[in-house]
Amino acid sequence: GGRAGGWWGALGGAAIGVLGPSPCLFHKVRGKYRWQILVRGDKLLALFEGFNLGAGWTLEIDPLSLL
């Protein structure tokens, strides 16, 4: 239901796995707390295309490291 349901449903049932949120290894940097959410699956670019994360959020596709 709601906003997430319409967003997820537009993917046509793609296999998606979500781990987190969990604190980052370096959980506080420059006075800001950091959390990570790992999203795995098919069609990830389509998943986040046009998705507004809002202020203070960063999206990293295929990160070199999870540290």
Side-chain angles (χ1 to χ4, degrees):
R3 187 175 130 209
W7 167 64
W8 197 294
L11 294 175
I16 303 290
V18 179
L19 300 172
S22 60
C24 293
L25 181 62
F26 303 107
H27 65 279
K28 191 173 184 183
V29 175
R30 292 191 269 314
K32 294 187 177 185
Y33 290 96
R34 299 169 2 126
W35 291 79
Q36 62 187 15
I37 300 171
L38 181 64
V39 180
R40 306 185 297 180
D42 302 328
K43 302 181 183 179
L44 290 181
L45 290 177
L47 179 69
F48 291 105
E49 187 175 299
F51 186 73
N52 182 8
L53 294 173
W57 287 83
T58 303
L59 175 64
E60 202 170 328
I61 307 277
D62 290 331
L64 295 175
S65 172
L66 293 177
L67 297 178

